[in-house]
Amino acid sequence: MAELYKGESINSDYCGRDILSVDQFDRRSVDMLFREVDATATLVETEGGTDLLRRKFIANIFFEPSTRTDFSFRFAALRHGASVEGPHGIQFSSVSKGESLQDTVRSFEQYADLTVIRHPQIGAVAVAAAVSEKPVINGGDGAGEHPTQALLDLYTIRRKLGAIDGKKITMIGDLKNGRTVHSLAKLLSLYDVEINYVSPQELQMPEEYVAALSARGVSQDSMRTLDGPLPETDVLYVTRVQGERFLDQAEYHRLKDIYRITPEVLEKAKSDMIVMHPLPRVGEIATEVDTDPRAAYFDQMKYGMYVRMGLLALVLGRSVLPPALQK
Ligand code: NCD
């Protein structure tokens, strides 16, 4: 079988590139994106948006439920003056008649300039990107990767804590099936960080990710409870137990409420720690935590829209920055 197409390295040239995996990024390409995102955020906060992508057309094709990724791409496009279309539920597209993913993507690229895809199978977005001549962005492929989420998570850490190097990050929950932690762990390995993995035995970070990070010299530790790492943690990254990925629903019900972050839990955390979550949450962070100044998960969503505005612009060959700063 041919090697799975994973997208080319960005190497500071986003124009026309597919965004499939965080493996495509290095520190320089992340810095370049974040410069674009910082400037974009200021423009949104002062003027509401820009006309940078006027007459650009984005197709959003989501084969799995989504609130944040689907709609933050939509609003990101709209705030740059672009238009977005896509099937409102896969039952209303020809996929329900048996059309292949490749044909679906090749159809949308006849209409649009860029396609965002979410799919339940690992690698499916890459398969679609391989047949598409226009850029494709991975909005999450099963339990595989979620590169744009990892970029927005990284941006949130930098924006809230001022830096990424030197930070201790603790990931808690379903580290086996959660694609956001897979992509984030790999992206963090470009920086000088320590990572703790808190999960039950059954939901541990897959060995391939641990090995990839070890090869890059990242200090990693794995444990069952939060008690040990919490007092030293700078970023607590909470995830949902991914019920849709379990073959055995009895096991899901046994594990789903295993961790819960409450105000009492946070008493033992640093006063300047941040609590992140890709959302949706289904009980793993108590709503009483929302008013704690350390709760970063709603700002994380807003930053997500800014990061996706930056990505859409760069991939479509545009920038809000003057040319001298576009490197
Ligand atoms: C996550 C996802 O879809 O992987 N959500 C998101 O994109 N913000 C996390 C999840 O569903 O638990």
Side-chain angles (χ1 to χ4, degrees):
M1 206 181 94
E3 175 92 355
L4 182 69
Y5 170 64
K6 286 190 175 156
E8 296 163 79
S9 290
I10 304 290
N11 289 331
S12 305
D13 183 9
Y14 284 77
C15 185
R17 291 284 155 86
D18 299 313
I19 307 291
L20 302 176
S21 164
V22 290
D23 294 337
Q24 295 171 264
F25 291 82
D26 58 11
R27 281 179 78 134
R28 195 160 152 244
S29 46
V30 171
D31 285 349
M32 182 178 167
L33 173 64
F34 286 1
R35 270 198 304 282
E36 178 74 21
V37 176
D38 283 339
T40 304
T42 305
L43 285 168
V44 172
E45 282 158 19
T46 54
E47 292 167 40
T50 80
D51 287 328
L52 192 71
L53 300 182
R54 210 163 75 84
R55 292 197 195 279
K56 291 290 182 187
F57 297 89
I58 317 287
N60 263 23
I61 312 177
F62 278 63
F63 293 86
E64 272 192 336
S66 175
T67 296
R68 271 144 293 269
T69 308
D70 188 357
F71 283 90
S72 72
F73 266 114
R74 286 175 188 274
F75 280 95
L78 293 170
R79 282 189 186 267
H80 259 332
S83 307
V84 193
E85 266 303 339
H88 299 283
I90 249 30
Q91 67 273 31
F92 299 115
S93 78
S94 288
V95 171
S96 66
K97 301 181 194 164
E99 185 167 62
S100 70
L101 176 61
Q102 286 95 324
D103 280 3
T104 303
V105 171
R106 295 214 60 188
S107 304
F108 275 99
E109 73 169 334
Q110 310 307 317
Y111 310 140
D113 301 302
L114 179 155
T115 306
V116 183
I117 307 175
R118 169 171 286 191
H119 196 279
Q121 270 169 339
I122 296 179
V125 182
V127 168
V131 299
S132 174
E133 282 168 21
K134 305 256 177 82
V136 168
I137 298 184
N138 181 0
D141 61 325
E145 278 221 40
H146 198 344
T148 64
Q149 180 74 40
L151 289 164
L152 79 89
D153 291 340
L154 194 70
Y155 183 78
T156 302
I157 297 171
R158 172 179 160 284
R159 193 142 164 179
K160 289 279 183 190
L161 300 180
I164 301 156
D165 285 320
K167 301 299 178 208
K168 292 191 171 71
I169 291 104
T170 299
M171 300 180 174
I172 182 169
D174 187 350
L175 308 182
K176 177 183 171 203
N177 300 303
R179 55 193 167 201
T180 71
V181 282
H182 299 165
S183 290
L184 181 58
K186 284 202 287 182
L187 194 59
L188 283 169
S189 74
L190 298 174
Y191 299 83
D192 175 20
V193 295
E194 285 177 35
I195 308 183
N196 296 300
Y197 303 121
V198 181
S199 74
Q201 175 88 36
E202 298 87 335
L203 301 179
Q204 291 197 85
M205 179 62 82
E207 190 44 44
E208 60 183 284
Y209 292 99
V210 178
L213 268 71
S214 293
R216 285 186 169 175
V218 180
S219 153
Q220 304 166 87
D221 210 347
S222 182
M223 59 279 290
R224 303 280 157 266
T225 71
L226 188 56
D227 305 342
L230 184 60
E232 297 286 304
T233 294
D234 299 301
V235 177
L236 180 62
Y237 192 97
V238 188
T239 66
R240 168 180 75 88
V241 177
Q242 310 272 303
E244 67 274 39
R245 312 265 180 246
F246 281 69
L247 297 174
D248 177 357
Q249 282 301 304
E251 178 169 77
Y252 167 61
H253 285 286
R254 183 168 60 75
L255 296 172
K256 74 179 177 38
D257 298 319
I258 192 153
Y259 303 113
R260 185 169 162 81
I261 308 303
T262 61
E264 296 70 50
V265 171
L266 291 183
E267 278 171 21
K268 297 185 195 69
K270 285 187 181 180
S271 58
D272 59 352
M273 187 188 79
I274 55 169
V275 183
M276 296 176 61
H277 192 306
L279 301 176
R281 64 174 156 187
V282 285
E284 57 283 343
I285 301 180
T287 51
E288 294 77 49
V289 173
D290 297 359
T291 50
D292 188 308
R294 292 170 288 189
Y297 30 93
F298 290 112
D299 281 343
Q300 191 181 342
M301 284 179 60
K302 180 173 60 194
Y303 299 153
M305 182 179 73
Y306 299 157
V307 168
R308 288 173 174 134
M309 287 178 79
L311 264 179
L312 289 176
L314 294 181
V315 170
L316 290 170
R318 304 275 169 91
S319 173
V320 296
L321 293 168
L325 292 178
Q326 291 178 24
K327 290 187 201 95

